[in-house]
Amino acid sequence: MPKVGMEPLRRKALIDAALSAIGERGSLDVTMSEIASRAGVSSALAHHYFGAKAELLQATMQHLLAELNADARHALSRAGSPRERVSAIIAVNFSAKQFRPETIAAWLAFYVEAQKSPTLRRLLRIYARRLHSNLMSGLANLLPRHEAQQSAETIAALIDGFYIRCALKQGEPDARSAIAQVTDYVALKLAQAGASTCRTQS
């Protein structure tokens, strides 16, 4: 039987091991025994905590979402202006904690698996709604509502696109370049909106 008080530590170790295994394999085609071995526990103990592999994969996805959400909330709490809120969310998605090879590979694997897993698809929808809401918390004060909605969708697509492109090529993720390119889009969109406002007023 597992030791009293060890469950949170063991569960976290198994989730970290799952991320590592998925990142190395590039897919969700990993076994519970492989994950348990990486976590330094027995396969039986892994099953005791999570039951089947699907439950561990769901917990791993939820862990990624929880970390990203916590980082986003912290970043937004420190942002002042609406523009800073948008920049903060972009930066969070490409932070050293989030935009690393194993996490990038895990996100791509979950996207692929979500095509046939309703549970993972639901979790990805939660991620998409949160990202959209966080971006709108700044964009809604910078652009007309319809344009803000469209811009939030475009920024989200750019973020997801950089993750996919990075997962499909070798080398270290270039977070600085990704942030710069997404920020360039925001600057261009806001400049266009400003020019349009000036023409309307003249």
Side-chain angles (χ1 to χ4, degrees), residues 39-55:
V41 302
S42 68
S43 181
L45 195 59
H47 282 286
H48 171 80
Y49 287 136
F50 290 102
K53 186 180 83 169
E55 294 177 35

Side-chain angles (χ1 to χ4, degrees), residues 6-188:
M6 289 298 291
E7 180 172 352
L9 296 176
R10 296 301 190 200
R11 289 176 69 91
K12 178 63 165 58
L14 285 163
I15 288 171
D16 288 343
L19 276 173
S20 174
I22 293 167
E24 186 175 298
R25 187 71 55 83
S27 76
L28 302 186
D29 187 23
V30 294
T31 65
M32 282 290 271
S33 59
E34 179 183 351
I35 294 170
S37 178
R38 286 173 180 259
V41 302
S42 68
S43 181
L45 195 59
H47 282 286
H48 171 80
Y49 287 136
F50 290 102
K53 186 180 83 169
E55 294 177 35
L56 174 54
L57 295 179
Q58 180 180 339
T60 303
M61 183 70 197
Q62 289 171 325
H63 171 74
L64 286 177
L65 286 171
E67 275 203 334
L68 181 58
N69 188 48
D71 289 349
R73 289 170 66 88
H74 177 69
L76 288 175
S77 71
R78 302 177 64 183
S81 67
R83 179 66 181 274
E84 287 176 351
R85 294 180 72 84
V86 177
S87 297
I89 293 303
I90 294 170
V92 161
N93 280 273
F94 295 110
S95 68
K97 183 195 296 184
Q98 300 295 335
F99 202 56
R100 51 181 178 159
E102 61 268 34
T103 305
I104 292 168
W107 274 108
L108 182 60
F110 282 124
Y111 263 107
V112 172
E113 189 67 19
Q115 301 306 305
K116 55 185 178 181
S117 169
T119 299
L120 295 183
R121 187 160 58 249
R122 178 181 61 82
L123 291 174
L124 285 173
R125 285 173 179 164
I126 291 172
Y127 152 74
R129 286 197 299 269
R130 284 177 179 170
L131 177 57
H132 184 84
S133 176
N134 286 333
L135 289 169
M136 284 296 293
S137 73
L139 291 169
N141 295 295
L142 296 169
L143 297 167
R145 185 74 181 180
H146 180 65
E147 288 187 37
Q149 295 274 10
Q150 287 187 328
S151 295
E153 289 294 328
T154 301
I155 294 169
L158 288 170
I159 291 171
D160 289 346
F162 277 112
Y163 270 73
I164 292 170
R165 290 186 65 182
C166 188
L168 297 177
K169 67 181 182 181
Q170 296 181 335
E172 286 298 310
D174 189 350
R176 183 176 298 180
S177 176
I179 291 173
Q181 292 183 66
V182 180
T183 301
D184 282 348
Y185 163 77
V186 175
L188 178 62

